[in-house]
Amino acid sequence: MCDRPLILLLVGDQPLREALRFSLEIEGYAVAERPDGRPAAAVIIDDDEAVWPDLGGAPTIVLTGDIQRFLRRGVRGVSLVEKPLLGDALSERLAQILT
């Protein structure tokens, strides 16, 4: 049994997904790339994903290149992190929502 927090990573772009997986695992998280029945501590989803599954109420971070588009659409209940990912923005946001 793994005691590391599980992050569900829903990112279609393979190079980005692999880089995020590597980074998250280095930071001590377990990573799944599709829902597998285990409860996720958080979900990271790319706004380029066409279909968002039922995320089961887990805290969600959306990676987006257009934060204003989300604000105009009135999207609520998710944290937004702007792409391109610079510095530690994603790590910091993930730590915030998991504390």
Side-chain angles (χ1 to χ4, degrees):
M1 185 74 167
C2 180
D3 61 349
R4 300 180 299 160
L6 177 66
I7 307 302
L8 179 56
L9 186 59
L10 303 176
V11 176
D13 179 77
Q14 182 180 0
L16 176 58
R17 185 177 62 246
E18 290 175 1
L20 289 171
R21 173 183 273 283
F22 177 78
S23 177
L24 291 166
E25 288 176 344
I26 291 293
E27 291 181 36
Y29 298 106
V31 178
E33 294 181 7
R34 65 185 60 85
D36 62 7
R38 295 181 290 168
V43 177
I44 298 173
I45 189 167
D46 192 350
D47 71 345
D48 291 337
E49 290 298 302
V51 177
W52 294 14
D54 177 7
L55 303 174
T60 301
I61 297 173
V62 176
L63 307 177
T64 181
D66 189 355
I67 287 178
Q68 292 304 315
R69 177 174 56 110
F70 275 85
L71 297 177
R72 284 190 306 271
R73 289 175 44 200
V75 173
R76 302 271 188 266
V78 298
S79 294
L80 301 174
V81 173
E82 191 167 16
K83 296 186 298 186
L85 299 174
L86 301 173
D88 294 328
L90 178 59
S91 296
E92 290 170 1
R93 184 65 53 87
L94 190 54
Q96 287 173 347
I97 67 173
L98 292 179
T99 56

